[in-house]
Amino acid sequence: MKKLYFLIFGLFQILSYSQTQDLTTLAAGDHVGMNALFDDKDNLYGYVSLYSYGKTGDKTKKFEYVILDKNLNPVANKEFEGDITAASYLGYVDFKGQIILKPSMMDYSLVKSREIFTPVSMVIDPKTNTIKRKVYYDYLEDGTFKEINEPKNWKAQRKENRDEKKEKGYNYVSAVGEVKEGGYFAIEYKDYGKYINSNSIIKFDDNKKELWRYKYNTDGNKKVFTTLSILERDENYMYCIMKKVNDGQNAFSLLVIDMKTGKEASNKPIEGTLTDNTLDNIDSYGRLDNDKTFDDKVVLLGRNLDKFETIGYARMMVNKADFTVDTRWINFVPDLKTFLPKINTSGIVENGYMLQTKDMYFMNDGSVGILTEKYKPEGQYSAPKTTDLVYIYTDKDFKIKNVQVFEKEKTKWVNSDYLFSQYLNGGKDVVFFYRDYQKDEVTRQKKWNLFINTVIDGKFKQEIIPISEKDNYAVIPYVGKEGYILLREYNEKEKFNKIRLEKLNY
């Protein structure tokens, strides 16, 4: 796939200068990555920049991180030993306020194939500027915890699973996670290959003492079984979708578990007209974050499915006060037909182009914004292509309020011209960014333009910034603090690698 980078041209005439930072002066190692950090409420925390110093041992490699605040001021840095199979790390902020460096790219060039292993995440404590390897735990079938210091070789893990299956007839599967309010959670089940059973959700205190256990699917088999999908949890309740299957017949309910006791606070059937497949997949939308939690509700957006075909969008809203569920849907036909006359029941808009969802935005009143892009997949003799962006905006009852089409030239060999977005004005409004390769009306030459699109009080406004490749310098836009965009300009050969914040005019 071709990767297209671009350089800002004439930028200062449209954006006002804010602040710059030279990434090459922040550390002596080779720059291997940078990304924005967000807190657990999706607010911009700052940025992390990663540097590599190369191999230091048979299983280790030296790195350095530099933390920048949202104004690009460096606030912390430290060298650390990472796993040799890590090429770089992607940072994020966990619910404790720690910065987790998760391996984002693998590097197997320095190890033999039989020695390949998955690198471990690192944990930064911003208060003390200390870093350590993330501690993982296995929860064992005998009810004890085992600390994992070294990741298992995948071949050894496969052999261990085969041996256990041969001995017991099943594989015991578990996973452990921490709880924001303190303590741990574990899930467990027995995997027989064609079915699973003996499922439990278990809560422990800080000392790993069991506090409660919620059991389900105790005697599950191929025809009769129960599944549980955790939608959200807070300090009071865990909200789940429970599905009971009996010889092909499905029954869905919203199960609410009391976080203090592990008992059912509520278990009500989910009523409405959503199909079984829609409810089965409402909690996932590929790699997109398809839900948002508010003080009074949880809102999810999924695909509306007819059997296995996507025919539109479905919204589920869970009321935290009374544990009721509101389900709504809109379909490509007839709901979008008024705005996109050529669309068919499968979401094909014209000439084989489909609406590919790129992002979604949740407002406090339950209304939803859905940003899509017209996309045509790669064919046997043709490249993948993208054209217009389409913004679908619903009201609080999940009825279409407006559809805005952003016309764009055809782009080949890329899956998207959409870049990123962010909330504005405390989450009430939205700004999103995309690019387009357009012909200049004066010079008649094609150049890249950057499009800045705001949706404020349901009204659309757009600004266009001319951009193009120039002088072997590349610029990559990143999300900035509210009302700003961050631009990274670099030339690897000249060791030029600078970032700057520019204020948006909206």
Side-chain angles (χ1 to χ4, degrees), residues 184-460:
Y184 301 85
F185 262 117
I187 60 169
E188 66 172 3
Y189 59 87
K190 294 177 181 178
D191 184 356
Y192 290 86
K194 294 184 178 180
Y195 63 94
I196 66 173
N197 64 27
S198 303
N199 296 67
S200 294
I201 300 174
I202 317 162
K203 188 180 180 184
F204 305 87
D205 64 16
D206 289 330
N207 298 315
K208 305 180 185 67
K209 178 183 177 182
E210 184 175 322
L211 298 176
W212 53 257
R213 179 183 295 249
Y214 183 85
K215 295 182 179 181
Y216 65 99
N217 193 39
T218 308
D219 300 312
N221 55 55
K222 287 188 288 186
K223 292 188 176 183
V224 181
F225 58 90
T226 301
T227 66
L228 207 62
S229 299
I230 300 175
L231 303 179
E232 182 60 281
R233 59 178 171 83
D234 54 34
E235 61 181 2
N236 297 313
Y237 299 106
M238 178 184 292
Y239 305 87
C240 314
I241 293 180
M242 174 173 276
K243 180 178 77 168
K244 292 188 175 182
V245 180
N246 191 336
D247 202 15
Q249 299 298 311
N250 302 326
F252 294 87
S253 63
L254 178 73
L255 170 68
V256 183
I257 300 174
D258 190 301
M259 286 284 286
K260 294 178 176 63
T261 66
K263 299 185 180 301
E264 293 187 5
S266 179
N267 194 348
K268 300 177 182 179
I270 297 176
E271 299 176 343
T273 57
L274 297 186
T275 66
D276 287 358
N277 276 354
T278 299
L279 286 172
D280 222 4
N281 295 277
I282 195 75
D283 61 329
S284 63
Y285 210 122
R287 295 184 177 182
L288 294 179
D289 185 2
N290 72 317
D291 69 292
K292 189 169 183 179
T293 300
F294 299 89
D295 291 339
D296 60 339
K297 59 183 168 287
V298 181
V299 185
L300 299 97
L301 181 71
R303 298 179 177 91
N304 195 27
L305 297 168
D306 179 12
K307 295 183 180 179
F308 297 102
E309 183 181 18
T310 300
I311 60 173
Y313 307 97
R315 188 198 70 179
M316 174 183 287
M317 192 157 62
V318 178
N319 188 317
K320 289 185 175 183
D322 57 11
F323 308 137
T324 56
V325 177
D326 179 77
T327 58
R328 312 260 175 141
W329 51 266
I330 53 177
N331 285 341
F332 300 129
V333 177
D335 300 295
L336 286 173
K337 194 79 173 175
T338 302
F339 305 93
L340 304 170
K342 295 182 180 180
I343 197 169
N344 70 10
T345 56
S346 301
I348 305 297
V349 284
E350 72 254 346
N351 301 322
Y353 283 84
M354 65 182 71
L355 290 183
Q356 187 177 68
T357 304
K358 306 310 299 181
D359 216 334
M360 48 190 71
Y361 315 102
F362 301 89
M363 308 307 167
N364 188 58
D365 64 353
S367 60
V368 177
I370 308 168
L371 182 63
T372 69
E373 188 171 17
K374 295 179 183 179
Y375 171 72
K376 189 172 186 178
E378 181 178 0
Q380 185 176 1
Y381 302 107
S382 61
K385 308 174 186 70
T386 64
T387 59
D388 308 338
L389 272 81
V390 180
Y391 190 98
I392 304 163
Y393 188 53
T394 78
D395 63 15
K396 63 183 179 61
D397 297 317
F398 204 57
K399 296 183 183 298
I400 296 179
K401 191 174 182 179
N402 193 11
V403 174
Q404 184 80 18
V405 178
F406 298 90
E407 294 185 356
K408 185 170 63 63
E409 295 294 324
K410 183 189 300 181
T411 303
K412 296 182 179 180
W413 295 112
V414 292
N415 290 327
S416 181
D417 282 325
Y418 167 68
L419 297 172
F420 49 81
S421 62
Q422 66 183 135
Y423 288 103
L424 298 173
N425 304 320
K428 188 170 66 74
D429 303 308
V430 169
V431 58
F432 62 90
F433 303 79
Y434 69 88
R435 62 181 186 172
D436 192 17
Y437 196 52
Q438 297 180 323
K439 184 178 290 187
D440 187 280
E441 293 183 0
V442 177
T443 66
R444 311 305 295 170
Q445 294 180 340
K446 278 199 166 186
K447 293 184 178 182
W448 286 101
N449 285 328
L450 177 67
F451 288 74
I452 303 169
N453 312 275
T454 54
V455 187
I456 298 177
D457 293 329
K459 298 180 180 179
F460 294 86

Side-chain angles (χ1 to χ4, degrees), residues 101-114:
L101 299 182
K102 182 178 180 180
S104 60
M105 293 188 291
M106 305 302 115
D107 178 12
Y108 299 134
S109 64
L110 301 176
V111 294
K112 298 177 181 179
S113 60
R114 65 177 181 273

Side-chain angles (χ1 to χ4, degrees), residues 469-487:
E469 295 181 349
K470 181 181 177 182
D471 299 332
N472 295 319
Y473 283 83
V475 165
I476 300 179
Y478 289 78
V479 64
K481 63 182 180 179
E482 185 170 320
Y484 288 76
I485 185 173
L486 184 144
L487 303 169

Side-chain angles (χ1 to χ4, degrees), residues 143-192:
T144 61
F145 283 79
K146 179 183 177 183
E147 186 173 322
I148 305 172
N149 295 314
E150 291 290 338
K152 294 179 181 178
N153 180 288
W154 68 274
K155 289 185 178 179
Q157 183 66 64
R158 285 183 60 191
K159 183 179 186 305
E160 184 179 306
N161 290 342
R162 287 196 301 267
D163 292 344
E164 183 185 36
K165 183 76 175 290
K166 186 176 180 180
E167 177 187 353
K168 300 178 180 179
Y170 63 84
N171 285 128
Y172 175 79
V173 181
S174 67
V176 178
E178 293 182 81
V179 182
K180 182 177 183 179
E181 295 74 32
Y184 301 85
F185 262 117
I187 60 169
E188 66 172 3
Y189 59 87
K190 294 177 181 178
D191 184 356
Y192 290 86

